[in-house]
Structure formats: structure tokens, C-alpha cells
Amino acid sequence: APHGIYYSGSNGLIEDNEFYGMTGPSGYGVQFHNNTSGLVNNNVFRGNIARNNLSGLYCCRGVGNQIYNNVFYNNNNTGFWSAGEFSERRIFNNTIYGNGIGIRFDTRAPTNFRNNIIYGNTTNVVADRCGSAITASHNLCGTSHALCQHGINSSIVGNPLFVNPTATPPNFHLQATSPAIDIGEALPEV
């Protein structure tokens, strides 16, 4: 199957699911896109796991989508790909590990990117055509990037010290000495 879910609506909730095994040429665990209007607005994607797909989540075009409290791991291409215009996306509290590209931004639309852990990916962050559209803070990244620099906007670069991310299933809880503990900010949206 090409996608776990191809979602083209608005005002929806995708919650507490596990998407895996979508490895075809366009194998997304979940794709937010609408070929007719192009807009997929005001949706919430939370508490999900997207693993072992070509890409975990592809979110393209739409206003007010929220992506939070998810785990994206071991996806061959991209854990999470945020693309398209007209966005105002809110991307909070996600764990992104062991993917080809952890998170890819390909958008000039306003995006809030906060309280995420992006670590252990071949490339942690890619930002194409973004300009100043992305507001990033309180993230932990495995490598420095313009959207995740140590000491800038309360973000840090380092190892989050997961308990055992290579176990089956992985354990993404944080060890007691993790630098990610208490670096997040309180967000009323989540």
C-alpha cells in the first residue's frame, strides 16, 4: 500500500495509531494533502508512531495543522516532511530518531517548531526555501543546524540519552541525566 492514511480533509483528529510498512515508491505512513483544493486545514496529529516506512508523515498545504507528541523512527527517507504553503503549522513535543532525514522543512509558511528531540538520523534537519518562516526553540538536536543551535532560543545540541533506542521495541524514555529534561517550554496547545 502506498500510504497508511491519505488524509485530505479538515478539522480532523488522527490519534494513538501506529503506521508501519509503507515502503513503496511514495510510502508515507500518513500523508496530509488534497489534490482538489490543495488545502488540509486545522487537523491534529498526536500520540502516533510512524516507523519503518519510506517516510513517516508528509504534511503539505493547509492552515492550522498541529503535530505533537508523536514518535517518528526508522523511516528510510524522512521521519517528518513539512512542505507546501499556507501553513501556520505547530510542531511540538515529537521524538524523531533513526530516519534518513529526521525532519525536512520545505515551506515558506509560518511554522512553530518547539520542544522536539531530533537525534540519531543520518541528517537531523533539512530546511529548503524557508527563509524566516520557522520559529524554533527549546529543541534538542544531535547536530547543529540554523534551526537548532546550542544556546540559541533555549535549544541544545547533544545526545538526549534515551534509555535504549535500538531495542525492539525502542525505549525512548530519557535517562535521569538527560540534557533534554526540563529544557522544554510549557505550551498551552498540548
Side-chain angles (χ1 to χ4, degrees):
H3 308 301
I5 293 177
Y6 182 97
Y7 186 77
S8 61
S10 293
N11 304 307
L13 171 65
I14 298 175
E15 179 178 41
D16 296 331
N17 297 285
E18 187 167 356
F19 303 97
Y20 60 92
M22 305 299 127
T23 57
S26 61
Y28 300 109
V30 176
Q31 181 173 2
F32 281 20
H33 191 267
N34 187 318
N35 285 329
T36 306
S37 72
L39 299 178
V40 181
N41 298 326
N42 302 311
N43 296 290
V44 174
F45 184 83
R46 68 178 178 215
N48 298 291
I49 297 171
R51 64 171 178 86
N52 302 97
N53 301 292
L54 182 65
S55 293
L57 171 65
Y58 177 71
C59 186
C60 182
R61 300 177 76 191
V63 176
N65 292 305
Q66 298 180 53
I67 296 93
Y68 62 89
N69 296 342
N70 301 288
V71 178
F72 302 96
Y73 74 94
N74 293 348
N75 295 289
N76 293 334
N77 187 354
T78 306
F80 174 38
W81 187 356
S82 178
E85 309 305 330
F86 321 111
S87 295
E88 296 181 28
R89 288 190 189 110
R90 293 174 292 269
I91 304 167
F92 304 142
N93 299 358
N94 298 289
T95 299
I96 304 171
Y97 174 86
N99 304 284
I101 297 171
I103 187 161
R104 178 178 182 177
F105 294 102
D106 187 8
T107 180
R108 287 183 294 271
T111 300
N112 284 305
F113 179 60
R114 303 180 193 280
N115 293 2
N116 299 285
I117 297 175
I118 308 95
Y119 182 79
N121 303 283
T122 304
T123 301
N124 286 307
V125 180
V126 171
D128 301 323
R129 302 182 310 118
C130 294
S132 61
I134 299 172
T135 302
S137 72
H138 297 83
N139 298 297
L140 183 148
C141 295
T143 54
S144 185
H145 185 278
L147 296 177
C148 194
Q149 297 178 16
H150 196 77
I152 306 295
N153 295 324
S154 300
S155 290
I156 61 175
V157 175
N159 184 335
L161 300 177
F162 294 127
V163 169
N164 191 348
T166 59
T168 305
N171 185 340
F172 292 113
H173 289 94
L174 300 174
Q175 296 178 38
T177 56
S178 170
I181 294 174
D182 294 329
I183 69 157
E185 70 177 315
L187 299 170
E189 296 94 327
V190 290

Short mmCIF file of all heavy atoms in Angstrom, two decimals, residues 91-119:
data_model
loop_
_atom_site.label_atom_id
_atom_site.label_comp_id
_atom_site.label_asym_id
_atom_site.label_seq_id
_atom_site.Cartn_x
_atom_site.Cartn_y
_atom_site.Cartn_z
N ILE A 91 4.44 22.30 15.47
CA ILE A 91 5.13 21.02 15.58
C ILE A 91 5.81 20.98 16.95
O ILE A 91 6.82 21.64 17.17
CB ILE A 91 6.15 20.85 14.43
CG1 ILE A 91 5.45 21.00 13.08
CG2 ILE A 91 6.86 19.50 14.55
CD1 ILE A 91 6.39 21.17 11.92
N PHE A 92 5.22 20.23 17.88
CA PHE A 92 5.64 20.26 19.28
C PHE A 92 5.84 18.86 19.85
O PHE A 92 5.07 17.95 19.54
CB PHE A 92 4.58 20.94 20.16
CG PHE A 92 4.20 22.34 19.76
CD1 PHE A 92 2.89 22.77 19.87
CD2 PHE A 92 5.14 23.24 19.30
CE1 PHE A 92 2.52 24.06 19.54
CE2 PHE A 92 4.78 24.55 18.95
CZ PHE A 92 3.48 24.95 19.07
N ASN A 93 6.83 18.72 20.72
CA ASN A 93 6.99 17.54 21.58
C ASN A 93 7.08 16.22 20.82
O ASN A 93 6.54 15.20 21.27
CB ASN A 93 5.83 17.43 22.59
CG ASN A 93 5.74 18.62 23.51
OD1 ASN A 93 6.55 19.52 23.47
ND2 ASN A 93 4.73 18.62 24.37
N ASN A 94 7.76 16.20 19.69
CA ASN A 94 7.93 14.97 18.93
C ASN A 94 9.32 14.41 19.14
O ASN A 94 10.28 15.14 19.37
CB ASN A 94 7.71 15.25 17.44
CG ASN A 94 6.31 15.74 17.17
OD1 ASN A 94 5.36 14.98 17.25
ND2 ASN A 94 6.17 17.02 16.87
N THR A 95 9.44 13.09 19.02
CA THR A 95 10.73 12.41 19.04
C THR A 95 10.97 11.88 17.64
O THR A 95 10.12 11.16 17.09
CB THR A 95 10.73 11.25 20.06
OG1 THR A 95 10.49 11.80 21.36
CG2 THR A 95 12.04 10.50 20.04
N ILE A 96 12.12 12.25 17.07
CA ILE A 96 12.43 11.91 15.68
C ILE A 96 13.81 11.27 15.67
O ILE A 96 14.82 11.94 15.90
CB ILE A 96 12.37 13.18 14.80
CG1 ILE A 96 10.99 13.84 14.93
CG2 ILE A 96 12.69 12.83 13.35
CD1 ILE A 96 10.89 15.21 14.28
N TYR A 97 13.88 9.95 15.41
CA TYR A 97 15.11 9.19 15.61
C TYR A 97 15.32 8.14 14.51
O TYR A 97 14.36 7.48 14.11
CB TYR A 97 15.07 8.48 16.97
CG TYR A 97 16.23 7.55 17.20
CD1 TYR A 97 17.43 8.03 17.71
CD2 TYR A 97 16.13 6.20 16.89
CE1 TYR A 97 18.51 7.18 17.90
CE2 TYR A 97 17.20 5.35 17.08
CZ TYR A 97 18.39 5.84 17.58
OH TYR A 97 19.46 5.01 17.77
N GLY A 98 16.55 7.98 14.07
CA GLY A 98 16.93 6.85 13.23
C GLY A 98 16.37 6.86 11.82
O GLY A 98 16.27 5.81 11.18
N ASN A 99 16.01 8.03 11.31
CA ASN A 99 15.47 8.15 9.95
C ASN A 99 16.59 8.58 9.00
O ASN A 99 17.65 9.01 9.44
CB ASN A 99 14.36 9.21 9.94
CG ASN A 99 13.27 8.90 10.92
OD1 ASN A 99 12.44 8.05 10.69
ND2 ASN A 99 13.27 9.60 12.05
N GLY A 100 16.33 8.52 7.68
CA GLY A 100 17.29 9.09 6.74
C GLY A 100 17.46 10.57 7.02
O GLY A 100 18.52 11.03 7.42
N ILE A 101 16.40 11.34 6.86
CA ILE A 101 16.33 12.74 7.28
C ILE A 101 15.33 12.78 8.43
O ILE A 101 14.21 12.29 8.30
CB ILE A 101 15.86 13.66 6.13
CG1 ILE A 101 16.86 13.64 4.98
CG2 ILE A 101 15.64 15.08 6.64
CD1 ILE A 101 16.37 14.35 3.73
N GLY A 102 15.73 13.38 9.54
CA GLY A 102 14.82 13.44 10.69
C GLY A 102 13.58 14.26 10.36
O GLY A 102 12.47 13.75 10.31
N ILE A 103 13.78 15.55 10.14
CA ILE A 103 12.68 16.43 9.76
C ILE A 103 13.14 17.31 8.61
O ILE A 103 14.25 17.82 8.60
CB ILE A 103 12.17 17.28 10.95
CG1 ILE A 103 10.91 18.05 10.54
CG2 ILE A 103 13.25 18.17 11.51
CD1 ILE A 103 10.07 18.55 11.70
N ARG A 104 12.27 17.44 7.63
CA ARG A 104 12.57 18.27 6.46
C ARG A 104 11.50 19.34 6.35
O ARG A 104 10.31 19.04 6.33
CB ARG A 104 12.58 17.43 5.20
CG ARG A 104 12.84 18.27 3.97
CD ARG A 104 12.91 17.45 2.72
NE ARG A 104 13.19 18.33 1.60
CZ ARG A 104 13.38 17.90 0.37
NH1 ARG A 104 13.32 16.62 0.11
NH2 ARG A 104 13.61 18.76 -0.58
N PHE A 105 11.96 20.58 6.31
CA PHE A 105 11.07 21.72 6.08
C PHE A 105 11.27 22.18 4.65
O PHE A 105 12.39 22.50 4.25
CB PHE A 105 11.40 22.88 7.03
CG PHE A 105 11.14 22.57 8.47
CD1 PHE A 105 12.19 22.25 9.31
CD2 PHE A 105 9.86 22.62 8.97
CE1 PHE A 105 11.95 21.98 10.65
CE2 PHE A 105 9.61 22.35 10.30
CZ PHE A 105 10.67 22.03 11.14
N ASP A 106 10.21 22.23 3.89
CA ASP A 106 10.24 22.71 2.51
C ASP A 106 9.05 23.64 2.35
O ASP A 106 8.08 23.33 1.67
CB ASP A 106 10.17 21.53 1.55
CG ASP A 106 10.37 21.93 0.10
OD1 ASP A 106 10.71 23.10 -0.16
OD2 ASP A 106 10.17 21.08 -0.77
N THR A 107 9.11 24.77 3.04
CA THR A 107 7.95 25.66 3.09
C THR A 107 8.41 27.08 3.43
O THR A 107 9.39 27.26 4.14
CB THR A 107 6.93 25.19 4.15
OG1 THR A 107 5.83 26.07 4.16
CG2 THR A 107 7.54 25.09 5.53
N ARG A 108 7.69 28.05 2.95
CA ARG A 108 7.91 29.44 3.33
C ARG A 108 6.79 29.93 4.26
O ARG A 108 6.70 31.09 4.57
CB ARG A 108 7.98 30.33 2.08
CG ARG A 108 9.26 30.16 1.31
CD ARG A 108 9.32 31.12 0.14
NE ARG A 108 8.32 30.83 -0.87
CZ ARG A 108 8.47 30.01 -1.89
NH1 ARG A 108 9.59 29.36 -2.04
NH2 ARG A 108 7.52 29.83 -2.77
N ALA A 109 5.95 29.03 4.69
CA ALA A 109 4.80 29.40 5.52
C ALA A 109 5.19 29.38 7.00
O ALA A 109 6.08 28.65 7.41
CB ALA A 109 3.67 28.41 5.26
N PRO A 110 4.53 30.19 7.82
CA PRO A 110 4.84 30.23 9.25
C PRO A 110 4.70 28.86 9.91
O PRO A 110 3.69 28.18 9.75
CB PRO A 110 3.81 31.20 9.81
CG PRO A 110 3.37 32.01 8.64
CD PRO A 110 3.47 31.10 7.44
N THR A 111 5.72 28.48 10.65
CA THR A 111 5.75 27.20 11.35
C THR A 111 6.39 27.39 12.72
O THR A 111 7.45 27.99 12.82
CB THR A 111 6.55 26.16 10.54
OG1 THR A 111 5.94 25.98 9.26
CG2 THR A 111 6.61 24.83 11.25
N ASN A 112 5.75 26.88 13.76
CA ASN A 112 6.32 26.87 15.10
C ASN A 112 6.85 25.48 15.38
O ASN A 112 6.10 24.49 15.31
CB ASN A 112 5.26 27.24 16.15
CG ASN A 112 4.99 28.71 16.15
OD1 ASN A 112 5.90 29.50 16.30
ND2 ASN A 112 3.73 29.07 15.99
N PHE A 113 8.13 25.40 15.71
CA PHE A 113 8.85 24.14 15.90
C PHE A 113 9.49 24.18 17.29
O PHE A 113 10.50 24.83 17.49
CB PHE A 113 9.88 24.03 14.77
CG PHE A 113 10.74 22.81 14.80
CD1 PHE A 113 10.18 21.55 14.71
CD2 PHE A 113 12.12 22.92 14.86
CE1 PHE A 113 10.98 20.41 14.71
CE2 PHE A 113 12.93 21.80 14.86
CZ PHE A 113 12.36 20.55 14.79
N ARG A 114 8.85 23.51 18.28
CA ARG A 114 9.30 23.65 19.67
C ARG A 114 9.25 22.30 20.42
O ARG A 114 8.39 21.47 20.16
CB ARG A 114 8.39 24.63 20.43
CG ARG A 114 8.31 26.00 19.81
CD ARG A 114 7.39 26.92 20.61
NE ARG A 114 7.05 28.12 19.91
CZ ARG A 114 7.83 29.19 19.80
NH1 ARG A 114 9.01 29.19 20.34
NH2 ARG A 114 7.43 30.25 19.14
N ASN A 115 10.17 22.16 21.36
CA ASN A 115 10.18 21.02 22.30
C ASN A 115 10.33 19.67 21.60
O ASN A 115 9.75 18.68 22.06
CB ASN A 115 8.89 20.99 23.14
CG ASN A 115 8.76 22.15 24.09
OD1 ASN A 115 9.59 23.04 24.14
ND2 ASN A 115 7.69 22.15 24.86
N ASN A 116 11.07 19.59 20.54
CA ASN A 116 11.26 18.33 19.82
C ASN A 116 12.65 17.77 20.09
O ASN A 116 13.59 18.53 20.36
CB ASN A 116 11.09 18.55 18.32
CG ASN A 116 9.71 19.06 17.99
OD1 ASN A 116 8.75 18.32 18.00
ND2 ASN A 116 9.60 20.36 17.72
N ILE A 117 12.79 16.45 19.98
CA ILE A 117 14.09 15.80 20.04
C ILE A 117 14.34 15.19 18.67
O ILE A 117 13.55 14.36 18.19
CB ILE A 117 14.15 14.72 21.12
CG1 ILE A 117 13.95 15.34 22.50
CG2 ILE A 117 15.48 13.96 21.05
CD1 ILE A 117 13.88 14.33 23.64
N ILE A 118 15.41 15.63 18.01
CA ILE A 118 15.79 15.15 16.68
C ILE A 118 17.21 14.62 16.80
O ILE A 118 18.17 15.39 16.91
CB ILE A 118 15.73 16.29 15.62
CG1 ILE A 118 14.38 16.99 15.67
CG2 ILE A 118 15.97 15.74 14.24
CD1 ILE A 118 14.37 18.21 16.51
N TYR A 119 17.36 13.30 16.83
CA TYR A 119 18.65 12.72 17.14
C TYR A 119 18.82 11.38 16.43
O TYR A 119 17.86 10.64 16.26
CB TYR A 119 18.77 12.51 18.67
CG TYR A 119 20.09 11.95 19.08
CD1 TYR A 119 21.21 12.75 19.16
CD2 TYR A 119 20.23 10.59 19.35
CE1 TYR A 119 22.45 12.23 19.51
CE2 TYR A 119 21.45 10.06 19.71
CZ TYR A 119 22.56 10.88 19.79
OH TYR A 119 23.78 10.35 20.12
#
